[in-house]
Amino acid sequence: MKLSKHLIAFQARIGHEFAEPDLLVRAMTHGSIASDTRPDNQRLEFLGDRVLGLVIAETLMRDDRMADEGQLAPRFNALVRKETCADVAREIDLGAVLKLGKSEQVTGGRRKMALLGDGLEALLAAVYLDAGLQTARELILRLWGERISTVAVDARDPKTTLQEWAQARGMSPPDYHVAERSGPDHAPVFRVAAKLEDGREAEGRATSKRAAEQAAARALLEGLNHE
């Protein structure tokens, strides 16, 4: 299969030239444009999630031989979650080469976190099938870069951490509410407020409600740590 000039340039960006180019094409094919002759990337996404998990897990264990499961798990979750995969996808401009149906193109599919994260996982599977685990491992370590070495020692979900903080002090769980929703339907921006029972609160902004809640919880925790 002959690749388009955009996919050839994409290969250069990720540093891997496919021996089987059809794997790359499939990895970039979203269900909105798939057909009987053009399968989508869902099966590759399934495999890529496992390849990523294995590489990240073994790397964390190798880099910190004294850490127990309770310390490793939150770091692992922070590195493999969909938001992180989407961030990596943006850095290599994966959205530009996603093959999408018209409906997804119109609604900003190339910028959607879920589509970018899924596409990145499918890409990892394609590299694994094309060249083996070692090549996939090298790609992951290169793309994740300093994220692995700088992942917080306590990388728990900010909402979980804030809830535990409140409960340890006899408070009810924090309350979250959307203070504002702006932007077009295909690219909304949420402003969410996180509020404790004693009245302390902070806000966060993001392109999804969940991410905005996380940002608000993180901001409130930072404020509490400086009191």
Side-chain angles (χ1 to χ4, degrees):
M1 176 181 291
K2 186 176 181 180
L3 293 177
S4 69
K5 63 179 182 180
H6 299 295
L7 284 177
I8 291 174
F10 182 69
Q11 287 187 129
R13 289 203 295 277
I14 66 172
H16 178 72
E17 183 174 345
F18 280 79
E20 297 184 40
D22 58 312
L23 283 169
L24 176 57
V25 173
R26 182 173 179 180
M28 295 300 102
T29 302
H30 183 255
S32 61
I33 200 173
S35 66
D36 291 339
T37 58
R38 180 190 284 181
D40 63 32
N41 62 6
Q42 289 186 344
R43 285 172 59 85
L44 288 178
E45 173 205 339
F46 171 81
L47 177 59
D49 177 63
R50 276 70 186 172
V51 173
L52 174 63
L54 172 61
V55 171
I56 293 299
E58 69 176 11
T59 301
L60 290 174
M61 290 185 65
R62 181 198 65 209
D63 291 351
D64 190 347
R65 299 182 184 279
M66 300 300 294
D68 59 26
E69 188 274 342
Q71 294 170 306
L72 293 172
R75 303 178 203 174
F76 174 86
N77 292 334
L79 291 168
V80 304
R81 63 190 177 194
K82 196 70 71 175
E83 293 90 342
T84 303
C85 290
D87 285 343
V88 173
R90 292 186 187 97
E91 291 175 0
I92 58 176
D93 200 14
L94 183 145
V97 294
L98 279 176
K99 296 182 179 297
L100 306 174
K102 290 184 178 179
S103 61
E104 282 294 349
Q105 292 185 46
V106 170
T107 57
R110 299 187 190 282
R111 299 187 298 274
K112 291 181 179 178
M113 179 189 69
L115 270 65
L116 290 172
D118 292 348
L120 194 281
E121 290 173 345
L123 171 66
L124 299 179
V127 172
Y128 167 74
L129 293 174
D130 188 65
L133 181 58
Q134 182 56 31
T135 299
R137 178 185 290 111
E138 291 170 358
L139 176 63
I140 291 168
L141 296 180
R142 185 165 68 251
L143 294 182
W144 262 250
E146 292 186 358
R147 286 182 176 85
I148 296 175
S149 59
T150 60
V151 66
V153 172
D154 182 1
R156 287 175 297 175
D157 180 292
K159 289 182 64 178
T160 300
T161 303
L162 182 61
Q163 180 169 323
E164 291 176 352
W165 187 95
Q167 291 178 334
R169 290 158 180 78
M171 298 184 190
S172 301
D175 176 66
Y176 297 88
H177 69 274
V178 178
E180 180 185 22
R181 183 187 188 281
S182 57
D185 290 340
H186 67 272
V189 175
F190 294 88
R191 179 165 63 88
V192 170
K195 187 174 184 179
L196 291 171
E197 187 178 295
D198 63 5
R200 285 178 286 188
E201 63 180 307
E203 293 186 346
R205 291 177 181 269
T207 55
S208 73
K209 182 179 177 183
R210 179 177 180 275
E213 289 177 347
Q214 301 280 15
R218 187 178 296 107
L220 187 47
L221 283 167
E222 290 175 355
L224 294 172
N225 289 336
H226 286 90
E227 289 183 354

